[in-house]
Amino acid sequence: MRDSFRIVCGLLLFAICAFATAAERQPKDRPNVVLIFVDDMGYGDLGCYGNTVHDTPNIDRLAAEGQRWTSFYASGATCVPSRRGLMTGRHPALMGRTKLLEARDKLMPAMFRQHGYKTAILGKWHLAGYPQDFTTSPMHPLECGFDDHFGTPGSNDVPAPQGKVQNRELFDTCDKFTFQVPLIRGREIVEFPANQELFTSRYTAEAVRWIETHKEEPFFLYLAHNMPHAPVFASERFQGQSEGGRYGDVIEEIDWSVGEVVRAIHDAGIEKNTLVVFTSDNGPWSMFGPHGGT
């Protein structure tokens, strides 16, 4: 498992080291990296892995035109360990009491920035815990190597409403504002509570704009969707559209998002110099019925 996980970190580091080992390299010599990291999606949720219910043509096209990995492990079975492994390149079980605060300059975005990349995170961070004021946290993304930030501190089900716990009953009855999750741009809260139906579409629009803005320089874009972590929400145009029900609606909106990001890369004329990686932080929360994947 450790060896399999190291492959993805090695691939991303290769993108830096092989093409940007020295300052003499021109910006065009360094590949852009777009890492699309979804939350709690099962590999069986995609058409390219055999799903016949969800319509995922854009992700399937990535698999057909690139590589589809069939022997690969995320670095952890839950949100935080997986992200610790991703951002450090180390297996979280072997990190012991290592404090990320003391290694911020060695996290993935900081490494990219040290090689002249513009960096951005759009979506879920979940490496700062849930401090009383995330905007001032020393583990805020802007303190860890990202130039731009737009998203949430952590999962979309934290905190739970007073007197409630995260369970199937609550997920079945909650609405898009039940969970009091802030949406933050940089160090400013722009919406509280955030409308969870709009997470995917908002991050996608931000990604498209950010790519167009930074197409003339090497960049690392970390597009870390909140979905399809339970409770799942899709924007209105995707609701009731999938044969896979509510969860399928969310998967198909994520697929649309991938298509928009890839189109933005092509429109910017940088498709030959951009590496796109799509993966999930861990497997699905299948115990939650219509809120979980395969």
Side-chain angles (χ1 to χ4, degrees), residues 45 51 72 109 117 121 141 174 176-177 194 199 249 252 256 278 293:
D45 289 328
N51 192 292
F72 168 74
Y117 279 65
I121 173 175
C174 70
K176 58 190 176 183
F177 293 118
F199 276 148
D249 292 341
E252 293 184 12
W256 162 83
F278 179 93

Side-chain angles (χ1 to χ4, degrees), residues 35-43 45 72-76 82-83 227-228 247 278-284:
L35 174 56
I36 305 173
F37 203 62
V38 295
D39 202 344
D40 291 354
M41 176 187 282
Y43 68 82
D45 289 328
F72 168 74
Y73 295 89
S75 62
S82 183
R83 284 163 177 76
M227 297 295 137
Y247 185 87
F278 179 93
T279 188
S280 180
D281 63 344
N282 45 251

